[in-house]
Amino acid sequence: MTSDLSVQRVRAILITPHDTTLLMKRIRPGRDPYWVIVGGGVEDSDATRENALLREVREEIAGEAEIVRLLHRSTNASGETEYFYVARVTTWTFADRTGPEFQRDDRGEYVLDEIPLTSEAIAGVNLLPEEISAVLREALDRGDLLTVV
């Protein structure tokens, strides 16, 4: 494993069988609620970004996902490269999550939200980063979110 993977993050735009998406609502003291896409950092033990993504889905929502495609890549404010994948999820149990962030009291609340997979519904939540909110809404408007390119 090369050390440059450790400065990479992976995110899964999780599409359910009901054509909704699973987003993590973050509630932190002194801040308005916001939503993020399930995912996290690539670890040295991860063979690939895709392996890291599937591990993060298992940790954060005790889910199993099938990766469809890479939708977007960007660099965050910390200089980390973030990869946003589209994935289908068929099973998840938020109560069985195991990610280390859930064990910390200083991280605020995590609430799993199932949001309709429409441009209007995505625009109706404070999805961060704003760039991925725009990319996701554009793909939904074009009708090619699940199209493999």
Side-chain angles (χ1 to χ4, degrees):
M1 178 62 46
T2 59
S3 61
D4 64 337
L5 284 181
S6 63
V7 295
Q8 296 182 24
R9 301 188 70 72
V10 290
R11 304 277 178 201
I13 298 164
L14 295 169
I15 300 173
T16 73
H18 311 291
D19 290 326
T20 59
T21 188
L22 299 176
L23 298 176
M24 195 72 68
K25 182 178 182 181
R26 295 298 317 276
I27 303 169
R28 299 173 83 175
R31 190 167 177 182
D32 288 339
Y34 61 96
W35 286 255
V36 295
I37 294 172
V38 170
V42 177
E43 298 177 358
D44 288 338
S45 59
D46 295 318
T48 64
R49 285 188 300 270
E50 292 80 7
N51 289 121
L53 184 70
L54 297 175
R55 175 186 50 74
E56 286 288 341
V57 170
R58 284 190 299 273
E59 286 178 0
E60 292 192 11
I61 65 168
E64 293 300 324
E66 176 186 340
I67 298 170
V68 176
R69 71 179 180 110
L70 177 66
L71 176 67
H72 186 68
R73 183 180 75 191
S74 65
T75 303
N76 67 24
S78 300
E80 301 166 316
T81 303
E82 292 198 89
Y83 296 85
F84 294 87
Y85 291 86
V86 176
R88 290 196 175 276
V89 61
T90 54
T91 62
W92 63 93
T93 309
F94 195 58
D96 293 333
R97 64 189 186 256
T98 60
E101 62 271 28
F102 303 120
Q103 310 307 315
R104 294 178 48 185
D105 292 336
D106 64 335
R107 302 281 296 172
E109 291 181 60
Y110 293 81
V111 178
L112 188 62
D113 256 355
E114 193 169 348
I115 305 292
L117 197 57
T118 65
S119 183
E120 296 79 17
I122 298 300
V125 297
N126 183 19
L127 178 61
L128 299 179
E130 290 177 12
E131 178 181 351
I132 195 58
S133 178
V135 167
L136 180 54
R137 285 181 282 124
E138 289 167 10
L140 288 166
D141 289 343
R142 287 190 310 267
D144 65 1
L145 184 63
L146 292 170
T147 303
V148 178
V149 290

